[in-house]
Amino acid sequence: MYRGRTVSLSFPPFTFWMKRIVLACAAMYLVSTLLQISGTKAGAYLAIYLGLVPELVVRHGMVWQLASYSLMHAGLWHLLMNMLTLWMFGAQEEMDWGSRKFLEFYLFCVVGAAVLTVAVAYLHIGVSPDIPTLGASGGVYGVLVA
């Protein structure tokens, strides 16, 4: 039972890792957006280099993509919805578990989802090995790897 605890409908505070994850994702979105509007292909290359492209992970050893994809987002709504959901649920978990355990859990989920995405891509069930996946929610980016 929850004796002595009151139910609150307020937003959770921005905890230590919540601030850093949200700021990192927002910074990456800003950089990728500026590169896209610059008129060059640098924005698409950034999505391919930092997004999760199963073919590049398996055949070319780009293992950093197993984590970096979670910082990239395919659009403003994708970023906003991911960060809102992460903040609403993640901040409470960080307060309950502590910063270290929360970060370990978050990274385990990010890398675990990436490994599963790579495995499913090679089963050819809906996801192709040459399409980047962006954001921890798994938004698929519409650029083929050349």
Side-chain angles (χ1 to χ4, degrees):
M1 267 185 110
Y2 291 93
R3 292 185 185 194
R5 274 183 112 173
T6 59
V7 176
S8 173
L9 296 177
S10 63
F11 290 110
F14 272 105
T15 54
F16 182 81
W17 283 110
M18 275 304 105
K19 286 179 202 171
R20 282 148 184 81
I21 294 168
V22 169
L23 287 173
C25 289
M28 290 305 299
Y29 179 73
L30 179 64
V31 167
S32 67
T33 300
L34 291 174
L35 288 174
Q36 286 176 358
I37 62 175
S38 71
T40 65
K41 292 185 179 183
Y45 288 131
L46 186 68
I48 291 168
Y49 191 73
L50 294 178
L52 177 62
V53 183
E55 184 175 16
L56 296 178
V57 173
V58 172
R59 292 190 181 168
H60 300 286
M62 295 178 149
V63 293
W64 64 83
Q65 290 186 350
L66 297 174
S68 65
Y69 82 101
S70 67
L71 300 175
M72 303 293 294
H73 291 83
L76 183 60
W77 281 109
H78 185 209
L79 173 71
L80 292 175
M81 291 299 106
N82 271 11
M83 295 305 100
L84 178 64
T85 304
L86 179 64
W87 174 43
M88 294 297 290
F89 295 103
Q92 185 63 51
E93 297 303 332
E94 187 175 352
M95 288 188 305
D96 291 346
W97 294 345
S99 293
R100 181 184 169 110
K101 188 172 181 182
F102 168 75
L103 183 62
E104 289 172 356
F105 176 73
Y106 179 76
L107 293 175
F108 175 80
C109 291
V110 164
V111 173
V115 169
L116 188 60
T117 299
V118 170
V120 168
Y122 279 97
L123 292 174
H124 302 290
I125 307 174
V127 179
S128 175
D130 60 350
I131 302 291
T133 298
L134 305 177
S137 67
V140 176
Y141 192 70
V143 175
L144 294 174
V145 177

